[in-house]
Amino acid sequence: MIPNRSPWIQQLKRTRAVVPLDTNANTDVAIVGGGIAGVTTAFFILRNTTQNVILLEADKIAHGATGHNAGQIASYFERPLLELIKEFGAELAIEGQRSIESAWLLLDQIVAETKMQTPLYRFTGYAGLSTFDQVVNHLKHNRYRVDYKLLPESIVMADNWDLLSKIPKEYKDLFSVAPQKNVLELLETKNTDYVAALGFQKGCMNSALFSEELIVYLSKAYKKRFSFYEGSPVKHIRLKKDHANLKIRSHTMRASRVVLCTNGFEHFTLKNEAGKPINTKFHHSVAGRIGYMSGYLEPLKHPPTAISYFNKTKERGADPTGESYFYLTRRPHEHTDRTPHNLVCAGGPEKVLPNGATYARSDSCPKDMKNTINDFLRDSYNKYPASEATFSFCWHGLMGYTPNGVRRVGPEPRNPVLLYNLGCNGVGILPSIFGGKHISRFLKGEKVEKTIFDPLDQESKTTN
Ligand SMILES: Cc1cc2nc3c(=O)[nH]c(=O)nc-3n(C[C@H](O)[C@H](O)[C@H](O)COP(=O)(O)OP(=O)(O)OC[C@H]3O[C@@H](n4cnc5c(N)ncnc54)[C@H](O)[C@@H]3O)c2cc1C
């Protein structure tokens, strides 16, 4: 049996006792969920408004997806930008992309203002492409990026690729050509299936450590306006005209606004007593997918990196486009023996959580998932050890996928007492941070422009 052991949780070295809410309470803003979305939402509300905030976490801070992800900071959507352009139009979709990229600056702002110690590595990360369609789709993205004044991604194609001459002329200015050896070097692979490397800004961070450090900072910096309670699952939320009543264990909380930062919609009931009913079955449309990862330690010889590999097989659906992909990160890791190490992590295999099934964080990691990841590393990663890797960590985490793969950020159209910053999807670190800032703008009373993240009224259509 392989226990669910995440390197991010291991680094927390928690000593704080879980303190649940033990009395009835009153607040301006109740934040439900203490992952990176909840904690950064608290940061921006406290920083940008004068309101009091209480954060309620069912379990412990950062022990959800935030403590079980790949820790790769990336600014793409889990869905091709071209599809988002089709759904929302170019202006809105590109603005959404710009918003996610703006979260880099917000991250820097948080780190600078709080003097955060959690290591954050920034570098050019890469994605390896292996099919003609993948390459052309990325060129199309790049054309939109250039036309709408976003920084283009760099694309290098292998000069020996037999389809190079078939690339439409209109994209000629968007890529360069180099010997395949150089392309494979960027991708740190020996797998000659890869014919192009895409380069863009990426990073690595332990988002659990970041959230833990940030919440400790907030509770000191905003002693009078902020408190948080762990082991405090919210069971019922009743929305009135100008406030909400929350039920937490045997206590109630009255809040002028409630922000759901719960990843998906689970384990609570929601009733709108001041308007049209909100579909409490909406959570069924936030589909659960379990992502599996493994990591091993190696000497600190190579710089941090993050690389995705879009291979040729179309067997499983990790990527909604139907293409199979793996992702790898490498970063320095302070391990228990305190000698400097790199931690090499890889993931890709996923399982869809059947509707109605519950995800248990304590479930072990299936051996076949570990083997699939190991096979990928052995076949593709050119720094894989000659003697098989010993995985110090295998872990899994739950991702809540919204129907269109875009995070929901903003007020509930049927009752703005309730706001959302949720829908973890596969890439959620930067979107959560952007979401936190965006929510603070609503709470500040700013006139906020329409975005692709707005919760939709039709999501509330069905009632139970
Ligand atoms: C395997 C995997 C790999 C990933 N890799 C990456 C990556 O490389 N890069 C990236 O950007 N993103 C990645 N993600 C996604 C990213 O981790 C998430 O989008 C991000 O952490 C979401 O944070 P969150 O705060 O929304 O959710 P969570 O961290 O899940 O936090 C939600 C919290 O809400 C609490 N909660 C739920 N219901 C209640 C309730 N009723 N009352 C009180 N509390 C409640 C939960 O206990 C939980 O702590 C990955 C996710 C997984 C699972």
Side-chain angles (χ1 to χ4, degrees):
M1 217 179 64
I2 311 169
N4 185 11
R5 182 160 187 259
S6 141
W8 324 133
I9 299 290
Q10 181 247 339
Q11 278 193 322
L12 290 182
K13 300 190 183 82
R14 250 185 87 105
T15 51
R16 186 180 63 242
V18 167
V19 177
L21 183 75
D22 62 355
T23 178
N24 294 340
N26 213 318
T27 185
D28 296 326
V29 185
I31 293 176
V32 186
I36 190 167
V39 178
T40 52
T41 300
F43 171 85
F44 286 110
I45 296 173
L46 290 164
R47 183 185 184 280
N48 299 343
T49 78
T50 54
Q51 298 173 23
N52 297 324
V53 177
I54 295 180
L55 185 147
L56 300 156
E57 166 52 49
D59 184 1
K60 292 178 190 154
I61 295 299
H63 278 54
T66 299
H68 293 86
N69 56 22
Q72 182 176 139
I73 309 177
S75 54
Y76 52 82
F77 288 91
E78 273 281 286
R79 202 166 150 216
L81 185 62
L82 291 178
E83 285 184 16
L84 296 179
I85 289 172
K86 226 183 259 169
E87 183 175 338
F88 294 101
E91 292 282 339
L92 224 48
I94 298 282
E95 215 35 57
Q97 180 66 45
R98 205 187 302 279
S99 298
I100 300 301
E101 289 173 24
S102 75
W104 276 110
L105 270 181
L106 299 177
L107 182 56
D108 286 343
Q109 180 187 29
I110 297 173
V111 169
E113 287 185 13
T114 64
K115 301 193 170 49
M116 188 161 286
Q117 298 298 306
T118 300
L120 166 63
Y121 303 99
R122 272 184 186 237
F123 42 77
T124 300
Y126 293 95
L129 308 179
S130 56
T131 69
F132 186 76
D133 284 354
Q134 288 166 5
V135 172
V136 170
N137 279 338
H138 280 285
L139 287 167
K140 284 183 189 162
H141 288 180
N142 239 5
R143 172 60 67 219
Y144 274 105
R145 292 188 67 90
V146 170
D147 289 353
Y148 283 84
K149 309 226 167 347
L150 284 172
L151 219 63
E153 295 174 324
S154 82
I155 302 182
V156 188
M157 289 186 209
D159 61 1
N160 61 345
W161 184 28
D162 54 353
L163 297 177
L164 187 60
S165 59
K166 302 262 184 305
I167 299 290
K169 297 240 171 329
E170 66 208 82
Y171 301 128
K172 281 275 184 274
D173 58 320
L174 297 176
F175 67 94
S176 57
V177 176
Q180 189 179 33
K181 172 171 83 61
N182 299 10
V183 171
L184 300 185
E185 244 164 49
L186 293 174
L187 300 172
E188 303 196 21
T189 186
K190 48 189 179 292
N191 185 340
T192 51
D193 280 354
Y194 296 101
V195 291
L198 202 73
F200 203 61
Q201 178 172 198
K202 284 191 181 176
C204 273
M205 179 176 82
N206 177 345
S207 58
L209 199 57
F210 169 90
S211 303
E212 176 62 31
E213 200 181 343
L214 187 54
I215 202 143
V216 171
Y217 166 86
L218 294 178
S219 49
K220 285 184 188 151
Y222 297 97
K223 245 185 220 135
K224 293 202 175 124
R225 290 205 285 133
F226 178 64
S227 43
F228 70 97
Y229 299 93
E230 297 175 294
S232 301
V234 173
K235 289 288 174 205
H236 308 290
I237 303 175
R238 287 176 187 278
L239 301 174
K240 309 280 184 184
K241 194 164 177 295
D242 60 354
H243 73 278
N245 293 327
L246 287 74
K247 185 92 184 151
I248 308 111
R249 293 156 33 107
S250 56
H251 304 294
T252 53
M253 178 178 291
R254 182 189 158 113
S256 304
R257 309 295 284 271
V258 182
V259 191
L260 287 184
C261 300
T262 45
N263 190 340
F265 280 68
E266 281 181 287
H267 315 306
F268 56 86
T269 61
L270 184 60
K271 199 157 190 199
N272 186 15
E273 295 178 352
K276 289 184 195 164
I278 294 170
N279 177 17
T280 53
K281 284 192 175 131
F282 173 44
H283 65 274
H284 289 307
S285 66
V286 180
R289 282 206 216 166
I290 307 171
Y292 295 89
M293 304 215 51
S294 301
Y296 68 86
L297 298 162
E298 63 169 26
L300 194 64
K301 278 202 304 213
H302 307 293
T305 194
I307 309 175
S308 306
Y309 299 87
F310 292 86
N311 58 34
K312 283 180 169 170
T313 45
K314 297 205 173 208
E315 287 155 10
R316 30 157 291 274
D319 170 18
T321 58
E323 265 140 11
S324 151
Y325 89 107
F326 284 86
Y327 42 89
L328 175 148
T329 61
R330 183 179 61 225
R331 86 281 302 271
H333 185 79
E334 189 189 294
H335 199 50
T336 37
D337 64 6
R338 297 200 160 269
T339 51
H341 283 101
N342 261 334
L343 174 66
V344 178
C345 303
E350 292 182 356
K351 258 190 206 159
V352 173
L353 191 69
N355 228 344
T358 32
Y359 165 77
R361 205 174 288 157
S362 55
D363 279 356
S364 54
C365 295
K367 210 169 169 193
D368 58 327
M369 293 296 174
K370 181 181 144 191
N371 291 343
T372 306
I373 293 170
N374 192 32
D375 291 347
F376 152 72
L377 282 167
R378 194 195 308 102
D379 297 346
S380 301
Y381 178 46
N382 64 13
K383 297 180 180 66
Y384 185 80
S387 55
E388 291 277 300
T390 306
F391 290 99
S392 305
F393 303 97
C394 290
W395 69 102
H396 54 76
L398 184 66
M399 304 180 241
Y401 271 78
T402 52
N404 69 356
V406 178
R407 202 172 177 84
R408 295 288 183 271
V409 185
E412 159 60 48
R414 297 193 168 187
N415 190 333
V417 164
L418 179 71
L419 299 101
Y420 308 111
N421 179 9
L422 58 71
C424 132
N425 297 312
V427 185
I429 294 177
L430 290 178
S432 296
I433 298 172
F434 155 74
K437 167 82 188 296
H438 201 61
I439 292 293
S440 76
R441 295 181 59 207
F442 286 104
L443 296 192
K444 210 175 153 190
E446 278 183 33
K447 191 166 169 3
V448 180
E449 63 287 349
K450 181 177 159 58
T451 72
I452 64 170
F453 308 97
D454 295 342
L456 309 172
D457 194 35
Q458 61 263 34
E459 283 173 342
S460 306
K461 250 186 215 155
T462 337
T463 58
N464 62 349

